[in-house]
Amino acid sequence: DGILGNHVVATPASGPGGHANDETGTADGASTSPSNPSRSSTPQPQPAQQAAAPANTNNVSRTTGPASSISSPFFSEQLTAFEVWLEYAERHQDMIGELESPEQLPVVLQVLLSQVHRIRALELLRRFLQLGPWAVNLALSLGIFPYVMKLLQSPEYKSLLVSIWASILKFDPSCQVDLVKDGAIPHFIEPLANWVNPQGDPIDAAKQRTLSAFSLAATCYRYPQAQTECLRQNLHGRC
């Protein structure tokens, strides 16, 4: 989709006679052994015979078709399971330190690569980080940083990402170094500069401006490079 990129699944090439290569797996994970006597003892068809074998070609498409879509229900189910865990954790925040880590969190980070489930995954991730330092530390240890840094460039997810970054900076202000290095300061200035004519829900826009101001303050706190970058971006003149 141009932000994180889409993975391309390569379809295995067909061998002589329309059969898939020996290493090609079936839809349920089984594979054809190259040592199968029935395969090794059968003479290879001549080129003229290959054109008259449409049934074998259809077999290849049936093998590769379901495998390409098998991950879709898996990710959806994992997000649902993570949401159930979140609802329980939000009702028991007084004992958040005693809860076991959600096993679906690594999958949620991987779902950020999929445009189909990305907004739902970001919303659940925002709710998770609001559980406090324990949640932020767990997400950082699993490698959330490159995902949310790259997505910050997209205006489509700006509101969710500003909230996510505010939670991260509240727990770990040292991320200010990476924000300045990767040129992320303008993404937090933009909501403040557009306060006169907010887009969408005015309440959501007000929350976004507040979180953007906090993120900029946390980034500039005792960090001259960030302060210099804010001056260079004309923060004082645009807000």
Side-chain angles (χ1 to χ4, degrees), residues 108-161:
V108 174
L109 297 182
Q110 291 297 318
V111 173
L112 295 178
L113 298 172
S114 169
Q115 191 175 16
V116 177
H117 303 289
R118 185 174 295 155
I119 293 181
R120 184 185 178 193
L122 284 172
E123 174 61 31
L124 294 176
L125 190 58
R126 180 191 65 81
R127 288 171 55 187
F128 176 73
L129 295 176
Q130 288 178 345
L131 293 176
W134 171 83
V136 176
N137 183 53
L138 179 60
L140 288 174
S141 66
L142 290 176
I144 185 180
F145 195 91
Y147 295 95
V148 293
M149 176 64 77
K150 190 69 175 179
L151 288 171
L152 190 59
Q153 302 174 11
S154 172
E156 184 179 358
Y157 318 109
K158 189 75 68 178
S159 178
L160 288 169
L161 287 164

Side-chain angles (χ1 to χ4, degrees), residues 42-120:
T42 302
Q44 297 296 329
Q46 298 301 320
Q49 296 174 317
Q50 296 182 15
N56 291 334
T57 304
N58 292 336
N59 289 338
V60 174
S61 64
R62 286 197 297 269
T63 298
T64 57
S68 62
S69 59
I70 194 171
S71 61
S72 179
F74 170 76
F75 286 135
S76 180
E77 292 168 0
Q78 289 293 300
L79 289 176
T80 300
F82 184 60
E83 187 173 10
V84 172
W85 185 95
L86 272 175
E87 292 174 354
Y88 179 84
E90 289 170 344
R91 292 195 303 265
H92 299 84
Q93 292 198 38
D94 55 331
M95 50 180 294
I96 193 68
E98 302 175 8
L99 297 179
E100 294 185 5
S101 304
E103 60 183 15
Q104 301 85 9
L105 185 57
V107 180
V108 174
L109 297 182
Q110 291 297 318
V111 173
L112 295 178
L113 298 172
S114 169
Q115 191 175 16
V116 177
H117 303 289
R118 185 174 295 155
I119 293 181
R120 184 185 178 193

